[in-house]
Amino acid sequence: MAGGAGDGSAAAVDGTRIAPGERGATVIADRVVAKIAAQAAREALGRVPRDGAPPHASVVVHQDSARVRISLDLDYPSDIGGQCGAVRHRVAERVRALAGMDVPEVDVSVERLHSAHTRGAAEGRIR
């Protein structure tokens, strides 16, 4: 009996068979894409500033597209524009590769700058 219940095939309305790999949908939650984006930002930066927070991502997914917002801390002085560009590129690349989503927008927000000079002066103080 062709197209039976136990043979793993399904019949379309017109009677043609639909392969199992072509049925259904894959849904990736926003929080999963956000974790991918935050990890990609960490990879792009190389390290988190001492006393700094790791990158945090928020994501809005619509169909096969993800809009990403990354918040991060950076060392000061540093090439802020260069680091933000590297984060944008790496996040878009990794989300595209791992989640299969287009990333038309990656907003990077630098929340704090951590100065090695200020940190060193604060450590040298005695109360």
Side-chain angles (χ1 to χ4, degrees):
M1 185 161 110
D7 70 357
S9 65
V13 176
D14 65 0
T16 60
R17 301 222 187 278
I18 300 172
E22 295 177 9
R23 293 179 287 199
T26 301
V27 178
I28 301 173
D30 292 12
R31 70 177 182 263
V32 173
V33 180
K35 283 190 174 195
I36 293 169
Q39 178 60 37
R42 280 191 290 278
E43 292 169 3
L45 293 173
R47 67 177 197 84
V48 175
R50 201 168 97 197
D51 300 329
H56 176 266
S58 58
V59 174
V60 176
V61 174
H62 182 68
Q63 295 176 344
D64 290 335
S65 178
R67 297 193 183 278
V68 182
R69 184 172 199 275
I70 302 283
S71 299
L72 47 85
D73 292 1
L74 294 176
D75 279 325
Y76 180 82
S78 64
D79 179 5
I80 296 169
Q83 287 180 307
C84 291
V87 167
R88 266 188 213 92
H89 177 76
R90 183 68 175 174
V91 167
E93 174 185 70
R94 297 300 285 165
V95 169
R96 195 174 303 113
L98 297 175
M101 295 181 178
D102 182 40
V103 185
E105 181 178 317
V106 178
D107 292 330
V108 179
S109 176
V110 179
E111 299 294 325
R112 289 181 55 191
L113 294 174
H114 295 269
S115 172
H117 175 71
T118 304
R119 186 173 44 243
E123 290 172 354
R125 294 184 189 148
I126 299 173
R127 288 188 146 194

